[in-house]
Amino acid sequence: MKRYRKPIQYIVLFLVLLIGGYAVGHTLFASTAVLKTGDEPPAFKLLSLDGSVHDSAEYAGKPLIINFWGTFCPPCRDEMPALQNVYERWQDKGVQLVGINLSEDKLSVESFARQVGAHFPILLDRNRQTEKRFGLKQYPTTFFVYPNGKIEAILIGGPLTEEQIEAHIEKLVAGRS
Amino acid sequence: MFSNTKCECGHQNHAGTVLCESCGKPLTEEWAGNPETPLEMRYDGVARRSQKANPDLLDRVWNFFSSVKVAVWLIVLTLIGASLGTIYPQENTFLNLQTYQEFHDYYKEHYGTAGVVYHALGLSRVYSSWWFIGLLVMIGTSLVICSLDRVLPLYRALSKQQIRKHMQFISRQQVTYSGPEPVNKEAWLDSFGKELKRKRYKVWRDGDALMAEKNRFSRWGPYINHIGLIIFLLAVLGRNVPAWNMDQYVSLDEGETEQIPGTNYFVKNEKFTVEYYTDAELPPTLKGTERPKLFETKATLYVCTESCDDPSKDPVLSPVKTHDIRVNHPLSYKGLKLYQYDYTPKPKLVSVSPMLVDKKTGEQYGPFTLSMRNPALTYRAGPYTLTLKDKFMDFGLDDQGRPMTKSREPNAPAFVFIIQGPDLPETGETYIYFPQQIDKVKFRQDVLNKAIADKLDIRVPSMSGVVLSENTSTLNVRVDRAMPFIWTGAAIFMIGVAMGLYWHHRRIWLRFDDGVLSLGAHTNKNNYGLRMEVAAAMTKAGLPVSDKSLDNRRKSP
Amino acid sequence: MSLLDFSQKALLAALLIYSASFIFFMIAVGGKKWSNREPAAHSRRWGWTGFGFAAAGWAAHVTFFVTRWVAGGHIPTSNMYEFMTMLAMAIMLAFIVIYLIYKNALLGAFTLPLTVIIIAYASVFPSEIQPLIPSLNSNWLRVHVTTAALGEAFFAVGFAAALVQLLRVIDYKRTDKAGKRARRWMEVFLLVILMVIGFLLSVFSFRAAGYQAEFHQVITKEDDLGQQQTTERQVVYGLPPIVKPYSSDTVEIDSFLGMKKPLFAAPPWLKGVNAERKLNTILWSIISGLILYGLLRLIARKQLGAVIHPHLSDIDPDDLDEISYRSIAIGYPIFTLGGLIFAMIWAQIAWSRFWGWDPKEVWALITWLFYTAYLHLRLSRGWHGAKSAWLAVIGFLVVLFTLIGVNLVIAGLHSYAGVS
């Protein structure tokens, strides 16, 4: 019996450190539900207006801009031209810009996109699932993502100007190296 | 002190032993020096495992957690910490707040400076703080080490008890008797033993010494309940494993089906019912108040079988369970539980089935069903074809006078059709349709539609053509795979605690020396009951004694 | 007579029989030194009389409970009135069990007034039968509430025994610091009990007199947008207003001893449901308790503990220590099962989580941790006797805070209807 005393003590204390360390560590480093700069945005796989399926995995390695918008949100409408211009300017340079519509009918989204002249890829969220995973609270919200998949900035509210968007794209592109 | 661990009876004891493991003679000076006082019988006087001569660091840590005093301190600190968290509501009670700043503002607004201090000190999230969890971890550690340290020596001591105990051991128990030897010693011992056996004692004899014991198992109660608690605490920790735990909220209009995030399941709200007590059912002071009687979501749970991950196709669903979800009656399917959480009493239009009316002839065509969400794009009504060009859920005009929708909810739906047919141009006429009468008037549908308004009308003939969702039901979806372990831990704890507190370990020792009968008896709880039992057995065996006279505490001043 | 009326009468009968039982137990304890008596026989005879009455009272109490259950269609444990009367019933059950084991008349002399006070306190709350809201309509809840109350009832008996033990062991001849301190704490504790009695006396006398004061409160607050928001409400008091609600006007006020207007206004930081009225009630309790204490001190001309102490001289404190410990040891598993485990099962079904750190849950845990500490301390030397008795007394105060205080002070899921 005596022979095993030391090993038993070591094993018990080791387990305590392991399990207890995990428990306490969990409280210290628990990730909050809110996305913040430096996090990786959740993955998504959505249908776009043109009928193709977009998987966020395809954007890996590219600077990425994700703009959440709805037809019911005036600032969203107001920043559409800026997004479209930026898209035209950067699409050949490997920058990916997508708009994710906030779970509205395809009909409304199409008609709206036609009116405001938005031709960049617009993805259709369904039942607010993607929106929830991104933890959105206000619209529009724009995520700027480095090529390595980390969020550079989250801009809540709008309308954004072309200069604002460009400034962030510069950072994304610079961050590629 | 460690030189005299060998008892006069020849037994070699461990360091730290209070009473000789074999004959029970008091060994330490503290106890040997005061022959009057009743003995301390904790753990039968054996040394705890960790008590040793030269403790190193490991031993010191071990000894710290092995101490009951430390355990009590941990319990008291946890108790104080827990009470601090009840002063103001904890952060996790506010589902809509998330960031540090939002919480700071909330506490400032509602509780003033005290609230700011409370929040800044982290007391608004006590139960997930590192120090509170740390205390629980330390309690868990203490449970393991205290038990390990005591249960083995106690087991050893109880499994090899000597029948003839040292005279001091017997005379210094809480329950004692000393008197002249009965006339027929052997016969008296037999009948005394028989009486004890009748009371479910096990009786051993060694010459003219006797030992009787019952309910030894109750001594294991504390260790069993500690095992239960450890399982419980580990299970609580297991709830942190993401795959073991899910907590989602799904809001559903009536008739709506939605995917449960992160799963392959879909849930449909067939119908939501809320009932209130009628005035006749309410007592006088509550009459006229809305006292809810029932919240119920008739729900169907589906599992997706095909094209689940393909956004270009609608998922193929197959129903797996239908249940009326009420408060206290969740839907349960393979570890997934759906609870009635909340509801919003807000009527929403789901679909309308209007007719196309020729205003001149009064002829009606249709009906056709127009769904508020994802409606079909073309409709046939008699000779007319309606093509949906645009749709607004909550019609309004933006600051530049352009039509827009103000929200995603069908508060003021508007449908823009191109109608083609008799008497209409080839390219069709634009017709804007407001299903709700109030919007029709408010936005002046007839003025917007100009000339065509005189020819055609889209109209819902009766309420049967309107499908409404009266309420939005919010369900809480949970997966908690640690629960079986939680309940197992709790059950083991209860068994252990009942064993330890409802049964009492009782032992009686008896010996004769020079015509004197000496009896000592010990129990870990309920001396009163033991005295009664010993007195009754002795009296029945022919040696009448009163239970009070056996009380050793009363004898000592 | 409706079943509910009958039920109420049965409770009244129980209350009266308990009071009689209390008097008999008092005679059993206090009359031992009367002339021409053999103390043991006297104590035994009157003790059994008291016990007989207690058992009869309990039968009436059970009748109340059962008839109310039948009349209401659900077990009467769903609001403060029903819970408190049930708790009193549980305490009497615990008392009967412990009395049958130890046959100690003193226990009756201290448990019965406790029961009477709790029933009287229950009567402060509206006694009507309220139909259940959905979350309370659960069998697990019923099991949880009744089992928890039974566990707490054993703690209550343990408390009564500990109180007697303290009164017994406090030495009224000692003049050193420690002795004085113990006596002072005992007086403070007796004063608190008198305040509870004072609270009940004032509530019932003003209620019997039909007293009422009404205020109109207007509160103006600035909302997030910087706009002035005004809320108005009527506040009705059943006790003469020592403090009136903050920023309020008197609508009507019955005169009391020439007092025609409130003495003070409540401070603006006082928040919570009916906080001013609670503050007013607390002030009344304190004042009436102090008056009662003062009167009793004037009559007795010594510390109240010193009045009771001599009657306890022939009791063995070790017996009381054991009764107190035993009672708590019996109650602990029951409380764990009812107050925590059944509660967790119910919470899992009703609130989708077995534990949510709701204040009531936390306080149930605190109660449990407290008694856990108590049971562990009993293992150590030096924690028997007076120290452990103080713990049993404090433990029961924690129980009372969990049952009543949390509802009055902290709002949570468990907020009962009809808390005044």
Side-chain angles (χ1 to χ4, degrees):
Chain A
M1 207 51 235
K2 229 172 190 168
R3 206 145 50 91
Y4 299 115
R5 179 177 293 171
K6 266 282 165 3
I8 288 176
Q9 288 186 340
Y10 275 117
I11 291 169
V12 168
L13 287 176
F14 173 74
L15 286 177
V16 161
L17 277 179
L18 195 73
I19 298 172
Y22 170 75
V24 174
H26 195 85
T27 66
L28 289 176
F29 308 109
S31 55
T32 51
V34 194
L35 281 180
K36 55 184 186 303
T37 307
D39 290 347
E40 289 194 20
F44 53 86
K45 191 175 173 188
L46 297 168
L47 192 65
S48 85
L49 270 188
D50 63 13
S52 62
V53 174
H54 284 236
D55 191 328
S56 56
E58 294 161 15
Y59 308 140
K62 291 182 188 174
L64 173 66
I65 300 152
I66 309 168
N67 172 257
F68 283 90
W69 66 276
T71 67
F72 52 86
C73 133
C76 300
R77 170 191 273 265
D78 296 342
E79 68 185 18
M80 280 294 160
L83 287 167
Q84 178 62 28
N85 291 341
V86 170
Y87 171 72
E88 281 167 16
R89 215 170 300 141
W90 287 91
Q91 63 166 326
D92 296 334
K93 297 173 191 162
V95 174
Q96 187 73 43
L97 188 152
V98 290
I100 297 184
N101 173 265
L102 299 164
S103 307
E104 294 179 279
D105 287 0
K106 194 181 177 198
L107 175 74
S108 310
V109 178
E110 264 172 350
S111 135
F112 181 88
R114 210 180 312 120
Q115 277 178 44
V116 298
H119 302 294
F120 55 89
I122 288 173
L123 315 183
L124 302 168
D125 188 14
R126 286 208 292 196
N127 277 331
R128 312 187 181 186
Q129 300 249 332
T130 311
E131 176 189 339
K132 273 186 197 162
R133 256 182 284 143
F134 274 77
L136 292 204
K137 281 181 150 184
Q138 287 176 52
Y139 321 110
T141 298
T142 310
F143 292 83
F144 293 87
V145 186
Y146 281 120
N148 66 6
K150 299 268 193 283
I151 295 174
E152 181 265 324
I154 303 169
L155 301 187
I156 297 168
L160 300 178
T161 61
E162 280 182 51
E163 292 73 40
Q164 271 178 298
I165 306 172
E166 294 266 345
H168 283 286
I169 292 182
E170 300 288 353
K171 284 192 195 164
L172 298 189
V173 173
R176 183 171 11 193
S177 54
Chain B
M1 165 172 182
F2 294 102
S3 54
N4 66 352
T5 53
K6 185 165 181 157
C7 176
E8 64 181 34
C9 72
H11 185 81
Q12 181 65 51
N13 291 294
H14 294 259
T17 306
V18 180
L19 304 174
C20 169
E21 287 169 13
S22 179
C23 70
K25 178 180 184 284
L27 294 178
T28 60
E29 274 172 31
E30 181 190 1
W31 291 105
N34 301 308
E36 292 303 315
T37 50
L39 288 174
E40 178 62 45
M41 288 285 288
R42 277 185 303 165
Y43 317 114
D44 267 40
V46 293
R48 294 205 313 262
R49 257 171 72 89
S50 58
Q51 285 176 329
K52 55 189 275 191
N54 302 303
D56 58 15
L57 181 67
L58 176 78
D59 292 320
R60 282 177 203 281
V61 173
W62 190 268
N63 288 347
F64 175 78
F65 283 112
S66 156
S67 149
V68 174
K69 204 161 134 196
V70 168
V72 170
W73 270 112
L74 290 173
I75 292 172
V76 170
L77 288 176
T78 309
L79 181 160
I80 294 168
S83 70
L84 289 176
T86 62
I87 298 173
Y88 295 131
Q90 291 284 298
E91 287 181 5
N92 61 5
T93 51
F94 311 111
L95 287 176
N96 52 338
L97 304 181
Q98 269 169 335
T99 62
Y100 185 87
Q101 190 59 37
E102 282 171 338
F103 285 118
H104 171 87
D105 294 345
Y106 180 89
Y107 284 96
K108 185 172 183 176
E109 189 195 346
H110 286 80
Y111 308 109
T113 316
V116 172
V117 173
Y118 192 74
H119 178 250
L121 286 177
L123 295 178
S124 56
R125 43 188 184 279
V126 163
Y127 309 116
S128 53
S129 67
W130 62 269
W131 58 268
F132 191 77
I133 302 292
L135 277 172
L136 293 182
V137 167
M138 284 168 85
I139 286 183
T141 312
S142 160
L143 283 170
V144 175
I145 294 178
C146 277
S147 306
L148 272 182
D149 234 25
R150 288 171 174 77
V151 69
L152 291 173
L154 182 66
Y155 177 80
R156 211 176 48 226
L158 291 182
S159 56
K160 50 169 191 195
Q161 298 181 65
Q162 195 184 315
I163 295 163
R164 182 181 294 273
K165 287 287 185 185
H166 192 270
M167 192 56 208
Q168 268 208 43
F169 179 86
I170 289 181
S171 65
R172 290 174 67 184
Q173 292 297 327
Q174 301 265 357
V175 176
T176 52
Y177 173 82
S178 172
E181 185 178 304
V183 187
N184 189 341
K185 196 165 86 180
E186 283 302 315
W188 187 86
L189 264 179
D190 283 343
S191 80
F192 183 63
K194 214 171 276 168
E195 281 306 321
L196 289 177
K197 272 186 188 148
R198 191 171 295 158
K199 290 182 190 297
R200 296 191 314 281
Y201 277 85
K202 278 185 197 159
V203 180
W204 292 272
R205 297 266 297 269
D206 176 11
D208 60 359
L210 176 145
M211 183 180 96
E213 180 183 25
K214 79 171 183 186
N215 296 340
R216 189 196 289 179
F217 74 93
S218 91
R219 293 298 283 269
W220 315 125
Y223 309 105
I224 292 176
N225 81 46
H226 286 180
I227 290 172
L229 277 178
I230 291 162
I231 294 175
F232 185 93
L233 286 174
L234 286 176
V236 169
L237 192 60
R239 295 174 82 234
N240 286 339
V241 178
W244 273 29
N245 194 25
M246 184 180 89
D247 186 3
Q248 298 273 4
Y249 295 87
V250 179
S251 287
L252 296 159
D253 296 340
E254 283 171 323
E256 194 183 8
T257 308
E258 203 178 298
Q259 185 171 11
I260 298 170
T263 70
N264 212 15
Y265 293 103
F266 286 69
V267 59
K268 182 177 184 189
N269 169 6
E270 310 275 2
K271 172 132 190 64
F272 178 81
T273 317
V274 53
E275 270 179 39
Y276 294 96
Y277 285 102
T278 59
D279 268 0
E281 291 171 297
L282 289 174
T285 53
L286 290 175
K287 284 197 197 304
T289 59
E290 281 199 336
R291 192 175 175 87
K293 186 179 188 175
L294 175 76
F295 306 114
E296 180 185 83
T297 305
K298 287 193 187 302
T300 306
L301 187 72
Y302 296 91
V303 66
C304 175
T305 52
E306 253 178 76
S307 42
C308 309
D309 199 26
D310 186 351
S312 64
K313 293 194 195 116
D314 281 332
V316 179
L317 302 180
S318 95
V320 289
K321 186 150 188 182
T322 303
H323 183 81
D324 297 343
I325 302 176
R326 296 194 299 271
V327 179
N328 280 314
H329 296 272
L331 182 157
S332 173
Y333 181 76
K334 288 190 178 168
L336 188 75
K337 293 207 164 156
L338 281 76
Y339 296 85
Q340 185 65 51
Y341 178 75
D342 199 3
Y343 79 103
T344 319
K346 192 176 177 196
K348 278 185 197 169
L349 214 48
V350 174
S351 70
V352 289
S353 303
M355 311 280 280
L356 187 68
V357 183
D358 187 323
K359 277 196 171 173
K360 296 210 177 77
T361 61
E363 216 165 332
Q364 301 197 353
Y365 307 105
F368 55 94
T369 301
L370 204 51
S371 168
M372 295 303 128
R373 289 191 197 278
N374 294 314
L377 296 182
T378 51
Y379 302 88
R380 300 281 305 169
Y384 296 93
T385 304
L386 294 86
T387 310
L388 193 57
K389 286 301 291 176
D390 206 349
K391 193 200 81 176
F392 303 92
M393 288 296 250
D394 191 351
F395 188 82
L397 298 174
D398 69 8
D399 47 11
Q400 290 169 49
R402 292 170 301 194
M404 69 168 298
T405 181
K406 288 185 290 189
S407 75
R408 285 185 274 185
E409 302 303 327
N411 298 330
F415 293 82
V416 183
F417 292 108
I418 302 287
I419 306 181
Q420 290 161 302
D423 284 343
L424 293 173
E426 190 86 345
T427 52
E429 281 274 8
T430 306
Y431 187 101
I432 182 158
Y433 168 58
F434 294 92
Q436 299 186 129
Q437 183 62 31
I438 179 170
D439 303 327
K440 203 173 277 185
V441 177
K442 184 176 167 195
F443 298 111
R444 289 184 283 183
Q445 178 179 319
D446 289 349
V447 177
L448 288 173
N449 287 332
K450 297 179 205 139
I452 193 176
D454 301 329
K455 284 186 222 157
L456 293 170
D457 191 13
I458 298 178
R459 181 191 299 162
V460 180
S462 72
M463 275 314 283
S464 64
V466 180
V467 178
L468 277 177
S469 162
E470 296 284 350
N471 298 291
T472 307
S473 170
T474 305
L475 301 177
N476 183 199
V477 187
R478 287 261 183 172
V479 171
D480 214 335
R481 305 218 180 270
M483 287 321 291
F485 300 99
I486 299 256
W487 302 136
T488 308
I492 294 175
F493 176 81
M494 277 315 301
I495 293 170
V497 131
M499 269 169 66
L501 291 179
Y502 291 161
W503 280 272
H504 312 287
H505 183 211
R506 289 173 180 175
R507 276 176 296 169
I508 301 166
W509 299 273
L510 185 147
R511 62 185 274 176
F512 293 96
D513 303 87
D514 308 326
V516 176
L517 186 166
S518 304
L519 178 144
H522 175 256
T523 180
N524 55 342
K525 282 174 193 83
N526 192 5
N527 274 308
Y528 178 84
L530 178 64
R531 289 202 303 267
M532 301 285 275
E533 217 163 53
V534 172
M538 287 180 73
T539 308
K540 279 207 179 131
L543 200 69
V545 285
S546 80
D547 61 288
K548 279 205 172 143
S549 68
L550 294 173
D551 194 343
N552 194 21
R553 294 169 306 185
R554 244 179 279 256
K555 291 173 196 161
S556 57
Chain C
M1 189 162 72
S2 77
L3 196 55
L4 189 58
D5 288 335
F6 175 74
S7 178
Q8 294 303 108
K9 295 234 159 60
L11 184 66
L12 186 65
L15 193 64
L16 293 175
I17 303 172
Y18 286 153
S19 308
S21 161
F22 168 52
I23 292 166
F24 292 129
F25 277 123
M26 290 280 279
I27 295 173
V29 174
K32 270 185 280 194
K33 294 188 188 102
W34 291 347
S35 53
N36 309 329
R37 267 160 223 268
E38 204 269 294
H42 168 89
S43 187
R44 199 162 48 239
R45 189 170 66 244
W46 287 101
W48 279 113
T49 314
F51 179 75
F53 271 77
W58 194 67
H61 202 152
V62 172
T63 310
F64 152 79
F65 187 76
V66 172
T67 47
R68 189 178 172 91
W69 188 341
V70 173
H74 59 85
I75 187 170
T77 55
S78 52
N79 59 29
M80 210 44 152
Y81 173 80
E82 293 178 343
F83 180 76
M84 281 296 155
T85 49
M86 200 255 310
L87 179 67
M89 189 172 83
I91 291 176
M92 284 312 294
L93 176 62
F95 165 72
I96 289 171
V97 169
I98 299 290
Y99 189 88
L100 286 177
I101 300 177
Y102 292 103
K103 303 179 183 70
N104 189 316
L106 260 175
L107 201 56
F110 280 78
T111 312
L112 277 144
L114 179 67
T115 307
V116 169
I117 287 176
I118 289 179
I119 296 177
Y121 179 70
S123 309
V124 170
F125 299 97
S127 69
E128 57 195 19
I129 293 179
Q130 295 163 336
L132 289 178
I133 56 170
S135 59
L136 297 187
N137 192 0
S138 155
N139 286 330
W140 281 112
L141 172 66
R142 286 160 203 149
V143 175
H144 148 57
V145 173
T146 44
T147 318
L150 187 61
E152 283 151 354
F154 278 99
F155 294 159
V157 175
F159 154 78
L163 193 60
V164 191
Q165 186 192 347
L166 284 176
L167 282 166
R168 166 71 180 79
V169 297
I170 287 177
D171 190 342
Y172 281 86
K173 289 192 193 78
R174 261 170 80 170
T175 46
D176 62 335
K177 245 186 180 166
K180 270 187 190 156
R181 197 176 57 214
R183 290 203 294 269
R184 204 173 312 123
W185 276 109
M186 180 46 76
E187 290 302 293
V188 168
F189 191 75
L190 292 173
L191 177 61
V192 170
I193 294 176
L194 285 174
M195 283 175 183
V196 174
I197 295 171
F199 159 74
L200 294 170
L201 283 179
S202 34
V203 166
F204 286 114
S205 12
F206 283 107
R207 189 181 283 181
Y211 185 88
Q212 185 172 314
E214 196 178 345
F215 300 94
H216 179 75
Q217 187 182 29
V218 182
I219 294 175
T220 312
K221 248 171 66 177
E222 213 165 83
D223 68 5
D224 297 342
L225 304 167
Q227 272 164 358
Q228 303 272 306
Q229 294 246 324
T230 308
T231 46
E232 297 182 31
R233 62 194 192 104
Q234 301 296 111
V235 184
V236 178
Y237 280 22
L239 292 175
I242 298 168
V243 284
K244 65 170 189 172
Y246 167 68
S247 172
S248 68
D249 295 318
T250 308
V251 176
E252 62 153 309
I253 179 166
D254 293 346
S255 165
F256 169 70
L257 295 179
M259 185 172 122
K260 288 210 178 66
K261 59 176 208 268
L263 301 177
F264 309 100
W269 45 261
L270 202 64
K271 285 189 178 109
V273 185
N274 294 325
E276 323 69 13
R277 195 165 62 201
K278 286 175 196 163
L279 177 66
N280 192 51
T281 310
I282 289 169
L283 287 176
W284 264 99
S285 313
I286 293 174
I287 292 168
S288 51
L290 283 172
I291 292 172
L292 276 177
Y293 183 80
L295 284 175
L296 289 172
R297 277 297 288 266
L298 269 179
I299 298 167
R301 297 188 173 279
K302 53 183 159 185
Q303 284 184 320
L304 297 189
V307 178
I308 307 172
H309 179 72
H311 294 287
L312 311 174
S313 55
D314 58 340
I315 302 158
D316 181 21
D318 283 335
D319 277 351
L320 290 166
D321 188 60
E322 185 166 326
I323 295 175
S324 175
Y325 175 48
R326 189 82 194 286
S327 189
I328 288 169
I330 292 176
Y332 181 80
I334 303 177
F335 176 77
T336 311
L337 189 66
L340 294 175
I341 296 179
F342 287 156
M344 284 182 206
I345 296 178
W346 175 60
Q348 178 71 19
I349 294 171
W351 311 111
S352 79
R353 78 289 180 291
F354 73 98
W355 194 261
W357 299 106
D358 175 79
K360 195 85 169 181
E361 287 173 342
V362 175
W363 275 95
L365 176 69
I366 289 172
T367 308
W368 183 80
L369 287 173
F370 189 92
Y371 281 104
T372 307
Y374 170 89
L375 291 176
H376 280 92
L377 283 174
R378 291 286 309 201
L379 293 176
S380 336
R381 264 186 290 152
W383 278 92
H384 292 238
K387 270 191 199 166
S388 125
W390 276 114
L391 285 182
V393 168
I394 297 167
F396 189 64
L397 294 182
V398 175
V399 168
L400 286 182
F401 185 78
T402 306
L403 295 180
I404 304 165
V406 173
N407 294 52
L408 295 182
V409 182
I410 309 166
L413 289 174
H414 281 71
S415 39
Y416 287 93
V419 176
S420 106

